[in-house]
Amino acid sequence: MTTAAIDNARLENFVMRTIGDLTAAYTGLMVSIGDKLGLYKTMAGAGPLGAKELAARSGCAERYVREWLNAQAAGHYIGYHALSDTYELSPEHALVLADEASPFFIPPAWNVPAAMWFDEDKALHAFRTGEGVAWGDHHERLACGVAAFYRNGYKASLVAEWLPALEGVQQLLEAGVDVADIGCGHGHSTLFMAEAFPSSRFHGFDTHAESIQQARGNAAKAGAADRVNFNTARAADYPNKQYSLICFFDTLHDLGDPVAAAKHAAEVLAPGGTIMLVEPFANDKIEDNLNPVGQLYYTGSCLICCAHAISEGGKLVLGAQAGQARLAEVFRKAGFTHFRRAAETPFNLIFEVRR
C-alpha cells in the first residue's frame, strides 16, 4: 500500500464513479430483460401506466414488473409520476429502447458485455500467455450483439451518407458492378447495399462459419439470394472478381495481418476501383481518446479485437483505436497512394482508398 497522503475528496469522487459504472452494468441487464419481455414496446406511446397494467399488457408478473420499473425510474430511463403511481416512457427514450428500426436502438448491444463476462476465463488465459482468442471461440451472444449493434447505424448511414461521400462510387453501383464485403458478419451491410443497388452483385466473406450461415438466411428473407452470396474466406484469400468496390466495415483492425489484407485487396480491385474503409472513431493520440467512446472501444479492443488479431498470428495488432495515421500507413505499405477521410460520425471514421 502507498504511504502517500490520501485526498479524501478525490477518493470519494472515484468511489462514486466506480459505483456509477457498477450501476451501469446492473442497468444493462434490466434493459435486456425489458427488451426481451416487450416491456419497452408495451410502454411506447401508451402514456402513463401503472405496474399492474403494464404487467397485464406484457404478460408478466406484477411484483417483478414493479421492481423493474423502479430500477428504470431510478436510472431515469423512464419517468415516474408519484401522484398517480404510474410510469411513462418518453418518445425520445422509446427511440433508444423500444424502436428496433431506430438508428439509436441499443438493447441488443448488452449482449456484448454479457459475452465478455462469460468468456472471462479465456481473457485471463490470454493475458497470462499472450495467446489469442478467435472470434468464433467467444460466447455466441457476442456475434449476435455486435451484428445487432451495428445494423441500425449502418442502415441509417451507409447508403444515405457514406457511399455518396465516395467519389463516383454511387454511379458505378447504379450501373452494376461486383462488390466485396470483407468481414461481413451477419450480412446486414451487404444486404443494405444490395437492396439499394439492384444492378450490382455483392459478395460477403467472413471466417466465422456461423455468421455466414446467418447471413445466407438473412439474404433469403430479404429476397436477395440471386444477387448476394456469402462464403467463408480469409481477408487475404477471397476470390478475385475484379471488384469495383471493396468494403471493410469495422473489420480491418481485427485482422492479424491488415497489410496482407490490403495487398490482397489491391490485387483483386478493378482498375479505378475504390476501397471503403469504415473503422471505429479514434484520434491518433491516446490522450485524445480518453473519453466515454474511447473507453468503450479500448475495452472491446482489449477483449475482442486484439484477441482475434493475435489468434490470426498478430503481425500487426492495430486495435479498435488505430486512428487515421496508422490506418493510412497500412494501405501505403500495400501500394495505395490515395487515402481520404470521406465522412465521420461520433462512432465511425469512413475512408476512401484508391491506388
Side-chain angles (χ1 to χ4, degrees):
M1 291 290 293
T2 180
T3 58
I6 297 297
D7 183 328
N8 288 323
R10 186 175 184 182
L11 173 61
E12 183 176 347
N13 287 338
F14 182 61
V15 168
M16 293 309 298
R17 165 64 193 275
T18 61
I19 293 297
D21 288 344
L22 179 62
T23 300
Y26 278 47
T27 299
L29 182 55
M30 292 290 97
V31 171
S32 183
I33 287 173
D35 174 52
K36 291 177 179 177
L37 293 177
L39 297 173
Y40 294 123
K41 290 182 178 65
T42 303
M43 296 184 74
L49 291 175
K52 184 176 182 178
E53 187 175 7
L54 177 59
R57 292 190 184 187
S58 61
C60 296
E62 179 186 350
R63 187 65 188 88
Y64 284 104
V65 168
R66 176 172 289 279
E67 212 69 2
W68 177 86
L69 283 165
N70 288 336
Q72 293 286 278
H76 303 290
Y77 274 52
I78 63 175
Y80 176 63
H81 305 292
L83 290 178
S84 58
D85 189 28
T86 57
Y87 305 82
E88 187 171 7
L89 182 65
S90 73
E92 296 79 13
H93 289 201
L95 286 173
V96 179
L97 299 170
D99 184 356
E100 293 183 1
S102 166
F104 310 106
F105 186 65
I106 197 70
W110 266 284
N111 279 300
V112 177
M116 289 178 176
W117 273 110
F118 190 90
D119 293 335
E120 184 185 19
D121 286 346
K122 294 177 182 177
L124 293 171
H125 179 77
F127 267 71
R128 288 170 177 147
T129 64
E131 297 175 7
V133 182
W135 178 265
D137 291 338
H138 286 285
H139 190 273
E140 62 183 10
R141 293 182 71 169
L142 177 65
C144 294
V146 169
F149 176 68
Y150 282 115
R151 178 184 183 276
N152 286 2
Y154 290 163
K155 183 178 182 180
S157 300
L158 173 53
V159 172
E161 300 172 8
W162 298 349
L163 286 171
L166 306 178
E167 186 178 352
V169 168
Q170 188 166 338
Q171 291 84 348
L172 287 173
L173 293 172
E174 289 169 350
V177 294
D178 283 288
V179 178
D181 186 353
I182 312 306
C184 64
H186 287 194
H188 296 310
S189 52
T190 325
L191 292 170
F192 291 146
M193 293 188 290
E195 181 181 359
F197 302 102
S199 296
S200 288
R201 301 160 299 280
F202 296 85
H203 313 268
F205 302 104
D206 203 293
T207 59
H208 190 227
E210 288 81 359
S211 289
I212 288 296
Q213 184 177 1
Q214 182 67 44
R216 289 170 177 167
N218 290 336
K221 291 178 184 177
D226 59 329
R227 293 180 297 104
V228 181
N229 62 78
F230 294 102
N231 290 287
T232 54
R234 296 172 68 87
D237 63 10
Y238 53 93
N240 183 352
K241 290 186 176 293
Q242 290 296 285
Y243 307 98
S244 292
L245 177 66
I246 298 176
C247 305
F248 293 89
F249 292 106
D250 290 292
T251 294
L252 189 79
H253 66 271
D254 291 325
L255 304 178
D257 192 347
V259 175
K263 287 181 177 178
H264 185 67
E267 294 170 359
V268 302
L269 191 66
T274 299
I275 290 177
M276 178 164 63
L277 175 66
V278 178
E279 280 285 299
F281 186 96
N283 295 295
D284 290 327
K285 296 180 179 179
I286 293 174
E287 57 266 34
D288 294 330
N289 296 323
L290 303 184
N291 51 57
V293 173
Q295 182 182 7
L296 178 74
Y297 281 145
Y298 277 126
T299 301
S301 182
C302 179
L303 299 178
I304 303 169
C305 310
C306 289
H308 181 78
I310 292 169
S311 78
E312 289 192 339
K315 289 187 177 181
L316 175 60
V317 182
L318 288 171
Q321 293 286 269
Q324 181 168 338
R326 294 176 69 204
L327 295 168
E329 180 65 10
V330 167
F331 284 90
R332 187 196 66 77
K333 289 180 178 178
F336 290 87
T337 60
H338 174 86
F339 191 93
R340 177 178 72 90
R341 185 184 298 198
E344 65 180 70
T345 75
F347 298 101
N348 279 111
L349 297 173
I350 299 87
F351 299 102
E352 173 188 273
V353 188
R354 293 198 178 116
R355 286 183 292 206

